[in-house]
Amino acid sequence: MDMEMETDMHLAAGYCAATGVYRSRYPPQFAAVTASSFPDYIFPRLLFPDRVARPAFIDASTGAALSFGELRELSIGTARALSALGLRRGHVALLLSPNSLHFPTLSLAVLSLGAVLSSANPLLTPDELAQQARDSEPFLVLTTGDLAPKLCSLPDVVKRVLIEQLLTDVVKDDGPEQATDLPASNIGRDDPALLFYSSGTTGRSKGVVSTHGNVLAMAASLERKWGTARAGDGGRGRDKQQDDDVYGCVLPLFHMFGFSSFVLGTAALGATTVVVPGRFSVQKMMAAVEQYGVTRLLAVPPMVVQMARAATGESSSLRLRQVVSSGAPLTREHIARFHRCFPGISLAQCYGLTESAGCVTMCDLYHDSVDGEGMAPSTEVEEDGVAAVTTAVEEERFSSGGSSVSIGRLLPDAEAKIVDPVSGEPLPPHRTGELWVRSPSVMLGYLKNEDATALALTAATAAEGGRAWLRTGDLCYVDSRGHVYVVDRMKELIKYKAYQVAPAELEDVLAAHPSVHDAAVVPYPDEEAGEIPVACVVKKPGSHHLQEDELLSFVQSKVAPYKKIRRVVFVDSIPRSPSGKILRLQLRSFLQGSVPEAEGRNSCK
């Protein structure tokens, strides 16, 4: 490739060879935001004349709706009630709740007081909740009557507030005329706003501290991305059909993907969100999509797989125009199957982390959606030479089985580097290395964990604009059109139905069993779940009686359902490096021939 062609390719990719940085094709968005906190940003938007009476959230199970104006009134009224209970700026409020119409209300109420919102998976065991509470030290817990018994292991000093009673009292005692002003809190952009838990790049779950500035940046970025025209104007205009868009929410709101999409994104955009509460069911989801005219559905790969499996072959009655998937990569096979079942619905991917307060890449809606062959078509006119090089490189990757499904382009204000894991040097397009991202939405750090923060974030320097780079632990490359592709993960997390499962946590549980001498947990491919946790176990001498079912039950009793071991393979030893590190790649290769024999004994469903 000659120098002129290489320069053209770099420009098309948004790559600067001098700095090694890839930049978003969208103009900067965050610099224009003047609000000092997320409540300052969101509450005025809820009163815009064209949306104050529009439904903000609809409960698909009951048909109950909350308009944008009512969302504001109820959120401020709830903030006053929480203030009366003693919640103050800097306090942590733990929200333990399934998806509901009022999850956004409670979230906005906490944030408007300058308190820090933390969330927890309702599937966690009482001991797991207690462990998270010991780390986050909540002032109070907001939970439902059904989930309240799970708080039995929390210290008595932590207040329990039942959501049902709280909201009943707010509606009864705090009318709209009293809920016109926010309680004074003097919140700034550097104040902590969210404390969501993530396994990060390695190891145990850690508290991710996101500031109001981080949250503001993500809300503004999604508002810009989802609110731009679909007519190919490069993000310069508003979507003329935006008022027509209805978003479907089946993602858990306690997870950053769901929270950032619906509490931050659609709320800022002014789009209606249909919440489908309760245990996921593809039939229930599709019924809500049809009944409420959902046009854009956010999902994780197992949901996309189930949509295709349950397809009846007739989708003309649906208003659904797009499905956006994240949490784990979609395979080419699943993409092709989806397009065969839903030829009129585009399928796109996005990528983000808890540490980045949500998405950092997303396919250009309605233009860069992946097609039936798993490729992300370009929407831009390229020079013939650059296009030819791009096609040749990507066809070679595709035919060799490499990653070929784009996770989209960088969102507004996001920057990236592809860093050689060995040399540490930034890499140009079509070279694979670790993805580093930099954005005003990237976290402040991990709560009370300076070592983990230092591993995840580079030192911020004036030369780098004062912002740190987040090391994602994912091996990626960027093509000459700016599309990002995930090749593999450097980190050891298992992605079960888009949940993050840390092998180290399960290995500690297995080690506590009196008949286990050594254990290692590794992922194993599964069509529906993506990956399942499989344990390789060495029995202690004299423990020949130990059976697989006993270990499965032992682990299941101590962890949330999505974390449980799905299969056990007994081995003579666990391969380790001289330093004692488990050689997981060797185990994964070994399991390719060992696990199928156990398939009939243990279902992963």
Side-chain angles (χ1 to χ4, degrees):
M1 187 189 311
D2 61 35
M3 184 171 296
E4 182 178 354
M5 187 179 296
E6 182 179 60
T7 301
D8 289 342
M9 185 173 72
H10 288 178
L11 289 174
Y15 177 70
C16 175
T19 61
V21 175
Y22 295 85
R23 288 185 169 83
S24 172
R25 65 194 286 271
Y26 290 91
Q29 180 71 14
F30 187 54
V33 175
T34 58
S36 61
S37 68
F38 182 65
D40 287 343
Y41 183 81
I42 193 66
F43 281 118
R45 280 166 165 70
L46 303 183
L47 292 181
F48 284 176
D50 63 340
R51 68 179 65 167
V52 65
R54 184 189 309 159
F57 295 95
I58 300 173
D59 186 323
S61 63
T62 65
L66 197 64
S67 71
F68 284 96
E70 291 168 337
L71 173 63
R72 182 183 185 277
E73 293 172 0
L74 191 55
S75 297
I76 295 176
T78 303
R80 294 185 185 280
L82 293 176
S83 179
L85 292 172
L87 188 66
R88 297 288 184 269
R89 178 181 175 182
H91 284 164
V92 173
L94 175 59
L95 180 54
L96 177 65
S97 170
N99 280 13
S100 74
L101 189 67
H102 294 301
F103 198 107
T105 297
L106 297 162
S107 302
L108 295 179
V110 171
L111 294 176
S112 69
L113 291 173
V116 181
L117 177 70
S118 189
S119 66
N121 189 337
L123 293 177
L124 294 181
T125 65
D127 286 345
E128 289 171 323
L129 283 170
Q131 180 177 340
Q132 182 172 321
R134 283 193 294 272
D135 188 62
S136 62
E137 300 180 349
F139 174 79
L140 57 78
V141 181
L142 295 160
T143 191
T144 64
D146 291 340
L147 292 174
K150 286 199 168 189
L151 304 176
C152 58
S153 298
L154 267 64
D156 293 336
V157 69
V158 180
K159 296 183 179 181
R160 280 79 162 167
V161 180
L162 291 182
I163 294 171
E164 301 93 336
Q165 187 61 52
L166 174 69
L167 294 176
T168 298
D169 292 343
V170 168
V171 171
K172 180 178 62 177
D173 299 334
D174 202 359
E177 69 281 355
Q178 296 175 289
T180 55
D181 298 318
L182 289 170
S185 53
N186 300 317
I187 316 167
R189 290 190 176 187
D190 294 334
D191 288 335
L194 304 179
L195 178 58
F196 279 35
Y197 278 76
S198 166
S199 295
T201 54
T202 58
R204 294 181 175 277
S205 183
K206 296 179 283 291
V208 175
V209 181
S210 299
T211 66
H212 277 268
N214 299 151
V215 173
L216 272 170
M218 181 51 56
S221 180
L222 290 175
E223 182 180 14
R224 176 73 175 185
K225 180 68 174 178
W226 285 339
T228 53
R230 291 197 291 265
D233 69 350
R236 291 183 293 274
R238 296 286 295 177
D239 184 345
K240 296 178 181 178
Q241 299 185 52
Q242 177 219 312
D243 289 351
D244 185 49
D245 274 333
V246 177
Y247 287 69
C249 172
V250 288
L251 301 172
L253 291 171
F254 65 79
H255 189 279
M256 187 60 85
F257 183 23
F259 184 89
S260 65
S261 297
F262 300 112
V263 179
L264 307 182
T266 60
L269 184 65
T272 297
T273 296
V274 177
V275 179
V276 185
R279 186 183 180 91
F280 175 77
S281 159
V282 68
Q283 290 79 14
K284 185 169 61 173
M285 177 186 74
M286 295 307 294
V289 166
E290 182 168 12
Q291 180 179 355
Y292 292 98
V294 171
T295 59
R296 188 173 292 156
L297 180 68
L298 276 63
V300 291
M303 296 176 182
V304 176
V305 172
Q306 290 190 46
M307 283 181 68
R309 284 182 177 174
T312 61
E314 178 54 57
S315 60
S316 59
S317 63
L318 300 177
R319 294 182 64 238
L320 188 62
R321 297 192 287 260
Q322 186 180 46
V323 174
V324 181
S325 176
S326 187
L330 279 167
T331 67
R332 288 171 288 177
E333 178 185 352
H334 291 151
I335 291 168
R337 183 188 303 173
F338 179 90
H339 279 282
R340 288 194 299 269
C341 297
F342 300 101
I345 300 173
S346 63
L347 178 61
Q349 292 198 112
C350 61
Y351 169 91
L353 309 94
T354 304
E355 289 83 350
S356 61
C359 297
V360 290
T361 74
M362 186 179 292
C363 288
D364 287 345
L365 305 184
Y366 304 101
H367 291 302
D368 286 348
S369 299
V370 289
D371 65 19
E373 296 300 320
M375 300 296 288
S378 175
T379 63
E380 298 162 342
V381 178
E382 302 179 37
E383 296 294 332
D384 291 342
V386 175
V389 171
T390 300
T391 302
V393 173
E394 288 168 6
E395 282 184 353
E396 180 180 354
R397 287 182 181 272
F398 187 83
S399 62
S400 64
S403 175
S404 55
V405 183
S406 171
I407 55 173
R409 290 183 170 102
L410 292 168
L411 287 181
D413 297 299
E415 298 173 301
K417 281 185 180 180
I418 302 294
V419 178
D420 187 307
V422 178
S423 69
E425 294 299 314
L427 299 174
H430 297 293
R431 297 282 302 280
T432 297
E434 184 184 10
L435 174 66
W436 290 15
V437 296
R438 183 171 64 183
S439 165
S441 70
V442 167
M443 67 172 181
L444 183 65
Y446 294 117
L447 180 69
K448 296 183 289 190
N449 198 331
E450 293 182 2
D451 291 342
T453 300
L455 287 173
L457 297 176
T458 66
T461 65
E464 293 278 15
R467 286 202 180 102
W469 288 95
L470 171 64
R471 304 180 178 99
T472 69
D474 287 314
L475 289 173
C476 300
Y477 73 94
V478 181
D479 72 12
S480 58
R481 299 167 296 185
H483 294 108
V484 185
Y485 298 77
V486 175
V487 176
D488 203 349
R489 289 203 303 275
M490 293 172 62
K491 52 194 178 185
E492 298 176 342
L493 294 176
I494 299 169
K495 285 291 188 73
Y496 174 78
K497 293 188 176 180
Y499 287 117
Q500 296 183 118
V501 180
E505 179 182 357
L506 296 176
E507 287 159 0
D508 286 349
V509 173
L510 286 165
H513 191 284
S515 297
V516 171
H517 171 68
D518 197 6
V521 176
V522 292
Y524 188 81
D526 180 84
E527 181 180 11
E528 183 172 332
E531 295 175 337
I532 58 172
V534 174
C536 296
V537 174
V538 180
K539 299 179 183 179
K540 282 185 177 178
S543 298
H544 302 295
H545 63 279
L546 181 62
Q547 297 295 315
E548 183 179 28
D549 289 345
E550 180 181 343
L551 284 179
L552 293 176
S553 299
F554 178 76
V555 176
Q556 183 175 350
S557 68
K558 297 182 179 298
V559 299
Y562 68 89
K563 296 181 185 178
K564 67 182 181 182
I565 299 293
R566 305 286 158 164
R567 296 172 188 169
V568 175
V569 175
F570 292 105
V571 296
D572 294 330
S573 63
I574 301 296
R576 296 179 183 272
S577 69
S579 64
K581 182 177 177 61
I582 295 172
L583 302 177
R584 299 187 192 276
L585 284 178
Q586 288 189 22
L587 284 175
R588 292 174 72 170
S589 298
F590 165 74
L591 289 177
Q592 295 301 317
S594 302
V595 171
E597 300 174 2
E599 190 168 353
R601 296 200 302 268
N602 296 288
S603 169
C604 69
K605 304 297 187 285

